[in-house]
Amino acid sequence: MPSTPVTIPARRGKAAHVRQGQIVKVINTHGDQVVDTWAFNVQDLKEFMSMEHSRPHMLKTIPIVGDIMRSNKRRPILTLIEDTSGGIHDTLMAACDCHRYKFLGVETYHDNCEDNLHAAMREIGLEAPETPSPLNLFMNIPVKPDRSLSFEAPVSTPGSYVALRAEMDLVIAFSACPQDILPINGVGHMPTEAHFTVE
Amino acid sequence: MPSTPVTIPARRGKAAHVRQGQIVKVINTHGDQVVDTWAFNVQDLKEFMSMEHSRPHMLKTIPIVGDIMRSNKRRPILTLIEDTSGGIHDTLMAACDCHRYKFLGVETYHDNCEDNLHAAMREIGLEAPETPSPLNLFMNIPVKPDRSLSFEAPVSTPGSYVALRAEMDLVIAFSACPQDILPINGVGHMPTEAHFTVE
């Protein structure tokens, strides 16, 4: 029986335990939502999924089906096994944080993916040792031939998803990115909820 | 009077204190040597230059003259003010480490940039809190239109250099990358020394 989807509330985070071999499906419920994604070795939270350690091995800026994400000890931690979202994700950008929104002119507190990660981990009794650079699912950051980058709206569609196989017992954490100044959550600048299953 | 160049020995690291406003010139003495580069806030070593926090602000994968590298608190830490090397550097790849060389088939200890960073910091009485993803000066990792990456020889020439202005009081650390399996230190696979000045 398929597991009931868990909600990643709009502008918030959510974390869960995943056993080696289980499949995590991350669903872009409304189609335009970036989901920052982290994975931590449950036995040692200081070992975590690392974009800068994954790229030299997969030899791509964006993983495709079959690619293995690695930890900061270069061990396989998640494998991308299915992707119905159009295949556009990001591995280049840090999670948004309080400093980012100040830079963008926001003078009061703004929800952000860094705080969402730490709150989600605490909700299940854990403390993330730092904020690793996340796998930004559905996030559209084209790298142009002149090496310039830009923040664009997702190409994913409502209900599209990626499936990730856990390569070790791990804690997965998500943030439904609250970015509403740049158009990365769609041209409507409206962050929404997303969902995930573990089975 | 120009300062005497400091040697970054072949396959080794070197660190130095730099005051805000000083210029660090990193010289590719023999032309083909990748120099992994880190910068730490001297007041708080947990604040350090971060590639994933620099890219969203400079909006490029590779900095050019005028671009500002930022810390993990998104504060300016180094500005690239001169570059005679051909402008090809890397911000995508983690420092090489013991796990990397095992993956490449090396069964005994291999010098690596991660260990070089920590040894260089200890040499001046400091402890790096972690191994941030470095600014890999002179390293040639093209991003192709299909988003694939490859390890290529440098385009820099003997004596070419980059100049970086310190935007805070900081500790700079370098590793003359000991990679001799992939051709990133030239097609001869021969790591060499490099040099730097601070003035």
Side-chain angles (χ1 to χ4, degrees), chain A residues 93-109:
Chain A
M93 300 310 205
C96 63
D97 53 33
C98 60
H99 312 293
R100 178 62 169 159
Y101 290 102
K102 274 185 198 149
F103 184 91
L104 292 171
V106 179
E107 291 181 2
T108 53
Y109 181 78

Side-chain angles (χ1 to χ4, degrees), chain B residues 102-119:
Chain B
K102 275 184 196 148
F103 184 91
L104 291 171
V106 179
E107 291 180 1
T108 54
Y109 180 77
H110 193 289
D111 297 321
N112 62 79
C113 288
E114 176 166 72
D115 288 354
N116 286 348
L117 164 65
H118 293 277

Side-chain angles (χ1 to χ4, degrees), chain A residues 55 59 61 74 92 95 97, chain B residues 55 74 92 95 97 147 149:
Chain A
R55 286 187 294 258
L59 289 172
T61 55
R74 302 190 188 247
L92 302 180
D97 53 33
Chain B
R55 286 187 294 259
R74 300 190 190 247
L92 302 178
D97 53 32
R147 304 180 199 112
L149 302 171

Side-chain angles (χ1 to χ4, degrees), chain B residues 8-23:
Chain B
I8 310 165
R11 312 174 72 94
R12 290 285 181 273
K14 187 64 76 176
H17 286 267
V18 183
R19 290 192 309 277
Q20 185 176 13
Q22 284 191 304
I23 308 299

Side-chain angles (χ1 to χ4, degrees), chain B:
Chain B
M1 197 173 70
S3 73
T4 306
V6 178
T7 302
I8 310 165
R11 312 174 72 94
R12 290 285 181 273
K14 187 64 76 176
H17 286 267
V18 183
R19 290 192 309 277
Q20 185 176 13
Q22 284 191 304
I23 308 299
V24 183
K25 192 180 280 191
V26 190
I27 305 155
N28 202 341
T29 314
H30 301 284
D32 271 349
Q33 181 60 46
V34 166
V35 180
D36 286 36
T37 301
W38 297 267
F40 298 85
N41 174 359
V42 75
Q43 302 295 335
D44 172 13
L45 298 181
K46 287 187 177 173
E47 181 178 9
F48 45 72
M49 179 168 68
S50 166
M51 296 301 103
E52 61 261 30
H53 292 86
S54 296
R55 286 187 294 259
H57 295 263
M58 66 183 187
L59 290 172
K60 300 187 191 76
T61 57
I62 303 179
I64 64 171
V65 169
D67 278 331
I68 298 165
M69 267 64 71
R70 287 175 185 269
S71 76
N72 52 343
K73 293 184 176 177
R74 300 190 190 247
R75 297 199 303 152
I77 187 163
L78 286 173
T79 301
L80 180 57
I81 61 167
E82 195 180 359
D83 187 349
T84 71
S85 75
I88 298 300
H89 311 288
D90 170 66
T91 71
L92 302 178
M93 300 310 205
C96 63
D97 53 32
C98 60
H99 312 294
R100 177 62 169 157
Y101 290 102
K102 275 184 196 148
F103 184 91
L104 291 171
V106 179
E107 291 180 1
T108 54
Y109 180 77
H110 193 289
D111 297 321
N112 62 79
C113 288
E114 176 166 72
D115 288 354
N116 286 348
L117 164 65
H118 293 277
M121 294 290 279
R122 281 182 204 127
E123 202 176 73
I124 59 168
L126 298 172
E127 193 70 41
E130 60 180 271
T131 306
S133 202
L135 172 59
N136 296 309
L137 292 174
F138 317 118
M139 187 168 173
N140 184 4
I141 306 287
V143 181
K144 300 199 185 71
D146 66 356
R147 304 180 199 112
S148 68
L149 302 171
S150 57
F151 292 89
E152 306 293 343
V155 304
S156 40
T157 51
S160 65
Y161 62 87
V162 301
L164 302 159
R165 186 178 61 230
E167 303 298 352
M168 62 176 77
D169 290 348
L170 55 82
V171 177
I172 196 128
F174 303 108
S175 170
C177 178
Q179 176 59 265
D180 51 10
I181 298 164
L182 303 172
I184 61 154
N185 292 310
V187 293
H189 298 235
M190 180 57 74
T192 62
E193 65 186 353
H195 292 84
F196 70 97
T197 59
V198 179
E199 52 195 11

Side-chain angles (χ1 to χ4, degrees), chain A residues 161-172:
Chain A
Y161 62 87
V162 300
L164 303 159
R165 185 177 62 230
E167 302 299 352
M168 62 175 75
D169 292 347
L170 56 82
V171 177
I172 196 130

